[in-house]
Amino acid sequence: MYRNKKTISSRSLRLLKSVLPPSDSEDSETEDETELSFNKKSNAPNMTVIENSDCSTHSSSPPSGASELENYLNDIDDMPMFDELGTDINNYINLPSTSYNDSLAEASISISNPILDFPNFESNIIDNPINLSTTENVLDLSSPNTLPSVNLHSDSDLSIVQRKSARLAQMTYVESNTVSSAYVQSVEPPPSTFTNKTKKMIRQKMTFKWTKQFKFPVDLPPFKYSSIPQNISTPYEYFKMFLKDDILELITKHTNIYSSQNLGKSLETTVEEIKHYIGIELLMGIVAMPAYTDYWSADLRYSQIADTMVLKRYQMLRRYIHFVDNKTIDTSDRFYKVRPILEGIRKNCLLIEQGKLFSIDEMMIPYKGTKAGSRRQYIRNKPKKWGFKFFVRAGIDGFVHDFFPYAGETTFSTESFSEYEETFFGLGQKVVLQLCKTISDKPLTAVYFDNWFTSLELVTYLRKEFGILSLGTIQQNRLRGCDIINDKDLLKKGRGSYEMRCDNKKKIAVVKWADNKCVTLVSSFVPVNEQTSSVRRYDKNMKAKIPINCPTIIKEYNSKMGGVDLADMLVSLYRTGLKSHRWYLAVFSQLLDISVNNAWLLYRREFEELNNDLNVKHMPLKQFRTSIAKTLINQRKPGRPIKELLTNPRIQKLPRLRPTDDIRLDNEDHLPKKIKKGRCMLCPKGQTVYSCTKCNVRLCTLDERNCFYTYHKQK
């Protein structure tokens, strides 16, 4: 911003700077201080005379007294002001420069300049005028889309400095959005809500008082399940506890609806047929073949699958199996395609009695297709790097108790958190809170997680608010000023060395241990003051494994953290291979595997409780899964025997097996035998009663054609 003249006096600059802050602010100078500052500079060199058609000529002598200062500022107030583009500032604000004092109280601020466009401002922006005659009123600039109006009166108690400050404050707010100037101060509206930046600043300000002795360790009491079974159920009965009939009925209903919407007619499938389809998918996870059509092929035919359902019917069910009605869905949920099945199985998992030790981690559902869009995630440290990311809380035995998918910004759209949790916790901490809220008996429960979830505030909050004890690795940038030794100095002390810091007011302990690299853990219950044990590590100098010191907290974390990884491993052993362009089928197959594995773990738990003193082994997972699949396949409606499926030619057509060329052309033991009349292998229309005993195919032996000879000699 500059004047019309090329040269401007330093005194005018000081005048502008003196009136820039509002007069009612704490930083502005009083009238006496302003007058004193001018009097001190009375001996300044001659000033350049500023002349303009809109203002009178002034002498170079400084003003003396309040009246002369008032007149001087009046003339300064009337002088036009220009921005760096040469545009008059008065064009931005519809206020006449020559009659400012008389019309400012009635004028409204409007953005009508054709040169500049301000889309953020509205026309009706003056609602509540502000009286600047009192020091209690301040400019309310909290809304970025509105500007305050100024009601200035001609009372003698209102100084010209206040009017000048109000005008400059208004011009400053307009220019802060459009024109940059060295003489304009930026006025930022105060934040009305917490932003990510303010949350981060608040978290950084939280302090901890560190000592070297942890005074609040907790010994976890032994836990026993209250529900003791009377006898062992069958594998299918355990499986039905997770995949109940209401879920199967829902799948049947929406499959028929979806097929009607796409085919024009319903598949008319039933719950029993959906059970057959699920049983086939479970068997395919055990008996793997390159393509699902190989189970029906002549060469690789697998009768337990091929005799259950014909290939075309299986393909129709595979194509149109569905879980929701597409016409009545909530598209704001990114996993709406599979949400009913997901919530149904999750609810059934929560009904099972839970233990007291849990691990929280990520579970990847493999999927490399592009149909899922941004639902598909990438985690480089996982065995299956591409897929859907689920957050899982599992027991230390691998039993999955609770889970939910990561859906970006809508992950917690249906959940609510307190103001404290919203302020101090990020995504990883909210995941832990959400999964811990479904624990049935929270006090004296221990939860283990890795450094993606861990923060000092979370460990403190879980113990204080819920009585949940926690242990996890932690990143260095989340230690909140903890004065623990750095990694380089700790490694110099040798492998097995460690150091500890504690905050007994918040009941947390931080331990750093040197192995091949340094690892830092934080806990709210592990007694880290006990004597350390030892672990064996390979020493390249001695070329042998040697014992090194290991704190108790390290062994506690290693022995209890792997629950989710164990569940992942059990799924990967016999994964249901529902490969399809429809991304939600991959999620459905994972839910089937979780149901089977949870059923097997529940069976094993009850088996060990009933056969604790007996040297009897439980059923392995493969046999348990096979038993469930066979039960699903062999279930039929009353009055419909399985023979009908095998003997009815309309339902099942067995393929014709053909010998390989090595057998057909070996010239050994190919003898004709008489059988039932049928079509010849070579003749397009020939009928014969003879077949080869070795090749097991019908062949003609007539005078005009000898297909038997030709078949065994022709290459």
Side-chain angles (χ1 to χ4, degrees):
M1 191 185 303
Y2 56 87
R3 297 291 179 187
N4 197 17
K5 294 291 184 178
K6 294 183 178 179
T7 309
I8 190 167
S9 64
S10 60
R11 182 171 298 176
S12 299
L13 293 178
R14 290 196 298 272
L15 285 173
L16 290 175
K17 293 181 180 179
S18 65
V19 298
L20 274 176
S23 61
D24 52 354
S25 65
E26 296 180 359
D27 298 333
S28 62
E29 298 178 337
T30 61
E31 292 184 11
D32 297 336
E33 293 173 343
T34 306
E35 183 178 356
L36 180 61
S37 64
F38 281 109
N39 291 332
K40 289 181 180 180
K41 299 295 183 178
S42 60
N43 297 326
N46 293 335
M47 299 169 54
T48 303
V49 178
I50 303 176
E51 296 182 356
N52 193 286
S53 60
D54 295 333
C55 61
S56 59
T57 306
H58 298 276
S59 62
S60 60
S61 60
S64 61
S67 61
E68 293 188 89
L69 175 63
E70 180 176 346
N71 295 331
Y72 190 87
L73 291 176
N74 264 329
D75 295 335
I76 293 293
D77 185 68
D78 295 336
M79 285 191 295
M81 304 176 70
F82 299 87
D83 60 11
E84 295 176 353
L85 299 176
T87 306
D88 192 349
I89 295 300
N90 288 320
N91 291 335
Y92 302 151
I93 306 175
N94 189 15
L95 294 175
S97 60
T98 58
S99 59
Y100 176 81
N101 188 30
D102 297 330
S103 60
L104 182 59
E106 300 177 358
S108 61
I109 302 174
S110 62
I111 307 304
S112 59
N113 184 19
I115 300 176
L116 299 176
D117 186 19
F118 300 93
N120 292 332
F121 295 99
E122 300 177 0
S123 60
N124 53 347
I125 54 179
I126 297 181
D127 296 321
N128 301 318
I130 301 174
N131 188 0
L132 296 180
S133 60
T134 61
T135 58
E136 297 178 355
N137 295 326
V138 295
L139 292 177
D140 184 13
L141 302 177
S142 60
S143 176
N145 294 329
T146 59
L147 284 175
S149 64
V150 182
N151 186 11
L152 295 180
H153 304 281
S154 59
D155 299 339
S156 58
D157 58 345
L158 181 62
S159 66
I160 302 173
V161 178
Q162 291 176 321
R163 291 188 288 107
K164 182 69 175 179
S165 302
R167 184 187 177 194
L168 287 175
Q170 291 172 345
M171 290 187 294
T172 299
Y173 191 82
V174 175
E175 283 196 14
S176 65
N177 293 277
T178 56
V179 183
S180 61
S181 176
Y183 304 109
V184 178
Q185 295 179 354
S186 176
V187 180
E188 295 290 342
S192 57
T193 57
F194 284 111
T195 63
N196 292 334
K197 186 175 181 180
T198 56
K199 290 178 184 179
K200 184 177 180 180
M201 292 174 63
I202 293 175
R203 288 197 294 268
Q204 292 290 345
K205 290 181 179 179
M206 298 191 68
T207 58
F208 296 85
K209 186 177 180 180
W210 301 105
T211 61
K212 294 186 178 181
Q213 186 177 7
F214 189 43
K215 299 180 181 179
F216 297 95
V218 178
D219 292 330
L220 296 176
F223 174 78
K224 288 187 177 181
Y225 293 97
S226 59
S227 58
I228 300 177
Q230 300 298 325
N231 50 26
I232 301 298
S233 302
T234 63
Y236 179 69
E237 290 175 345
Y238 284 111
F239 179 71
K240 281 184 63 177
M241 298 175 67
F242 302 95
L243 195 72
K244 295 183 178 180
D245 290 337
D246 58 343
I247 298 178
L248 296 173
E249 292 172 358
L250 184 143
I251 297 174
T252 303
K253 172 186 174 182
H254 291 297
T255 299
N256 289 329
I257 293 175
Y258 184 67
S259 61
S260 299
Q261 294 171 350
N262 289 270
L263 288 175
K265 62 179 181 179
S266 173
L267 285 181
E268 297 182 357
T269 185
T270 61
V271 174
E272 286 71 21
E273 193 172 35
I274 294 297
K275 289 181 179 180
H276 301 163
Y277 173 78
I278 294 176
I280 289 174
E281 294 293 346
L282 294 181
L283 271 182
M284 287 181 177
I286 301 173
V287 183
M289 288 191 181
Y292 73 87
T293 55
D294 293 338
Y295 296 96
W296 285 269
S297 66
D299 297 327
L300 303 175
R301 176 183 173 83
Y302 188 70
S303 60
Q304 295 192 50
I305 291 178
D307 294 344
T308 303
M309 185 182 298
V310 295
L311 176 60
K312 182 175 287 188
R313 185 64 177 178
Y314 171 81
Q315 289 174 332
M316 294 292 287
L317 288 175
R318 182 188 180 95
R319 171 63 183 86
Y320 293 105
I321 189 169
H322 216 65
F323 316 110
V324 293
D325 186 358
N326 289 342
K327 294 184 178 180
T328 58
I329 54 176
D330 180 16
T331 55
S332 61
D333 181 10
R334 304 188 69 190
F335 284 85
Y336 68 90
K337 289 282 190 180
V338 74
R339 181 64 67 178
I341 307 299
L342 191 149
E343 291 298 328
I345 295 179
R346 174 177 176 266
K347 180 185 67 175
N348 295 333
C349 291
L350 290 173
L351 294 176
I352 307 300
E353 184 180 5
Q354 305 180 22
K356 303 292 286 186
L357 301 175
F358 305 101
S359 65
I360 294 177
D361 204 351
E362 301 155 337
M363 176 182 286
M364 291 296 292
I365 300 177
Y367 182 79
K368 289 187 177 181
T370 58
K371 299 294 184 180
S374 59
R375 299 179 187 88
R376 187 185 61 162
Q377 301 292 313
Y378 175 81
I379 302 179
R380 63 177 183 177
N381 294 328
K382 293 291 184 179
K384 302 292 184 179
K385 296 176 174 55
W386 287 99
F388 306 105
K389 181 164 67 174
F390 272 53
F391 297 114
V392 178
R393 174 173 60 86
I396 60 174
D397 58 349
F399 191 102
V400 176
H401 292 283
D402 194 9
F403 54 87
F404 63 90
Y406 172 71
E409 296 179 353
T410 61
T411 301
F412 303 106
S413 59
T414 59
E415 309 298 336
S416 60
F417 296 93
S418 65
E419 183 178 356
Y420 180 89
E421 295 168 352
E422 288 284 356
T423 304
F424 294 104
F425 298 137
L427 173 62
Q429 290 78 44
K430 286 182 180 179
V431 169
V432 176
L433 289 175
Q434 182 60 34
L435 293 174
C436 288
K437 286 179 180 178
T438 56
I439 298 176
S440 56
D441 186 15
K442 295 182 179 63
L444 293 179
T445 295
V447 180
Y448 304 81
F449 34 77
D450 60 21
N451 57 10
W452 193 82
F453 304 93
T454 311
S455 70
L456 299 181
E457 294 84 3
L458 175 66
V459 175
T460 303
Y461 184 75
L462 288 176
R463 175 164 178 167
K464 180 179 179 181
E465 187 71 17
F466 305 107
I468 297 177
L469 309 173
S470 54
L471 168 60
T473 57
I474 189 170
Q475 301 174 12
Q476 294 296 316
N477 57 359
R478 298 183 182 179
L479 290 178
R480 301 291 183 265
C482 180
D483 58 344
I484 199 167
I485 188 173
N486 58 47
D487 294 357
K488 185 176 180 180
D489 294 338
L490 186 61
L491 289 173
K492 288 181 179 179
K493 294 183 178 181
R495 295 174 66 180
S497 58
Y498 72 96
E499 191 166 328
M500 176 183 62
R501 291 292 184 272
C502 308
D503 188 333
N504 289 301
K505 183 178 180 180
K506 295 181 174 62
K507 300 181 178 61
I508 59 173
V510 177
V511 177
K512 181 178 287 189
W513 178 59
D515 194 5
N516 293 328
K517 295 182 180 179
C518 291
V519 58
T520 307
L521 296 94
V522 58
S523 174
S524 59
F525 73 100
V526 178
V528 292
N529 296 328
E530 294 182 355
Q531 184 178 1
T532 61
S533 57
S534 63
V535 293
R536 297 183 64 82
R537 294 290 187 269
Y538 182 80
D539 187 281
K540 62 181 181 180
N541 295 325
M542 300 181 64
K543 296 183 179 180
K545 289 186 176 181
I546 60 173
I548 63 173
N549 293 331
C550 179
T552 308
I553 190 173
I554 302 295
K555 283 196 169 183
E556 179 73 14
Y557 179 82
N558 289 338
S559 60
K560 304 295 194 311
M561 177 55 197
V564 178
D565 294 334
L566 181 58
D568 254 336
M569 185 272 293
L570 293 175
V571 169
S572 65
L573 290 177
Y574 312 105
R575 188 182 300 276
T576 301
L578 249 175
K579 296 180 180 180
S580 174
H581 289 292
R582 294 186 293 159
W583 59 266
Y584 48 90
L585 290 186
V587 180
F588 175 64
S589 67
Q590 183 84 359
L591 296 176
L592 288 179
D593 293 334
I594 289 176
S595 300
V596 173
N597 294 335
N598 279 1
W600 178 70
L601 292 170
L602 182 60
Y603 151 77
R604 192 179 69 174
R605 178 202 303 172
E606 295 183 353
F607 182 89
E608 292 174 353
E609 289 180 359
L610 293 178
N611 300 277
N612 192 20
D613 298 332
L614 300 177
N615 190 14
V616 181
K617 291 184 179 181
H618 57 77
M619 187 186 303
L621 177 59
K622 182 174 69 174
Q623 184 179 349
F624 187 90
R625 186 183 182 100
T626 305
S627 177
I628 294 174
K630 287 183 176 180
T631 306
L632 289 170
I633 286 174
N634 294 329
Q635 284 189 345
R636 297 287 181 271
K637 286 184 178 181
R640 184 189 180 193
I642 190 173
K643 290 183 179 179
E644 179 185 353
L645 186 66
L646 301 178
T647 57
N648 192 341
R650 295 183 179 180
I651 299 178
Q652 179 72 19
K653 183 178 180 181
L654 299 178
R656 179 183 295 179
L657 297 178
R658 296 186 180 184
T660 62
D661 290 343
D662 293 331
I663 296 177
R664 180 171 63 90
L665 302 175
D666 61 358
N667 295 325
E668 294 181 3
D669 299 330
H670 295 281
L671 302 175
K673 68 176 181 179
K674 194 172 183 180
I675 58 172
K676 186 178 179 181
K677 188 177 181 179
R679 190 178 300 279
C680 176
M681 174 66 69
L682 292 182
C683 299
K685 296 182 181 180
Q687 298 285 330
T688 182
V689 295
Y690 293 101
S691 70
C692 177
T693 56
K694 190 173 184 179
C695 299
N696 197 22
V697 292
R698 291 186 177 89
L699 296 167
C700 297
T701 56
L702 301 177
D703 296 337
E704 60 273 15
R705 62 180 182 275
N706 192 345
C707 295
F708 190 93
Y709 178 83
T710 305
Y711 182 77
H712 292 100
K713 294 296 182 180
Q714 186 178 9
K715 292 186 179 180

